[in-house]
Amino acid sequence: MKISKIVLAVLAMCAIVACNPNKGNGGGDNSGDTDSSWSNSGSHVGDWVLTEWNGTTDLSLGVYLSLNENNTFVLYQHYSDVLWEKYEGTYTLSGNTLSGVYSDGVKWADYTIKYNNGDTKQIKLTRQNDTEDVSIYTATDIPAEVVDNATAPAAVRSTESKRFL
């Protein structure tokens, strides 16, 4: 588990330093995108796969996120191992702020959500207290093998797992 956290931390730092699309513009807020393909309106409801994180598409982790109409979510994730973890909870969308609470009461960070409704339907989540943390999710069908084989984190290992959101 420690190795997974170290690998994830190194990946995040490398992505921020080497691949930050805002480099050289004052380190601005990603939520103020100059790219006209991102807007403040769209639909967040659906199944999503993480396709870019902090400017890199070369990901050593897997994340699927299902945002349901009834304001519930399911998050499937795995870091450098082959085990998929499943987290559930509720979320709220207030304006362009997406926030959520896992079923055990742990809150995730607040994110600014933007929508790309072009040929490839995507959502961009920018962490509000760390605008360098940007995740782009692409609409997808979550594979049955992920859904069928995911387990609650406590069943996977004895230590607390890091949650992606």
Side-chain angles (χ1 to χ4, degrees), residues 62-138:
V63 178
Y64 288 96
L65 176 62
S66 182
L67 297 170
N68 304 306
E69 285 185 35
N70 66 355
N71 288 50
T72 61
F73 74 88
V74 181
L75 172 71
Y76 301 95
Q77 69 178 40
H78 80 83
Y79 291 103
S80 60
D81 57 23
V82 295
L83 302 174
W84 285 92
E85 298 173 314
K86 177 182 178 181
Y87 294 97
E88 298 178 276
T90 59
Y91 71 89
T92 58
L93 182 62
S94 177
N96 278 32
T97 299
L98 180 69
S99 46
V101 178
Y102 292 99
S103 59
D104 64 0
V106 174
K107 186 179 180 325
W108 26 285
D110 292 336
Y111 292 88
T112 299
I113 188 169
K114 296 267 189 169
Y115 306 89
N116 180 346
N117 297 311
D119 292 338
T120 304
K121 184 178 175 186
Q122 296 177 312
I123 56 174
K124 180 188 292 189
L125 301 181
T126 303
R127 189 182 291 246
Q128 290 184 347
N129 65 352
D130 179 4
T131 58
E132 298 290 320
D133 186 345
V134 179
S135 303
I136 296 178
Y137 292 84
T138 302

Side-chain angles (χ1 to χ4, degrees), residues 34-49:
T34 57
D35 183 354
S36 62
S37 63
W38 295 101
S39 73
N40 290 326
S41 62
S43 177
H44 62 281
V45 173
D47 294 336
W48 306 95
V49 61

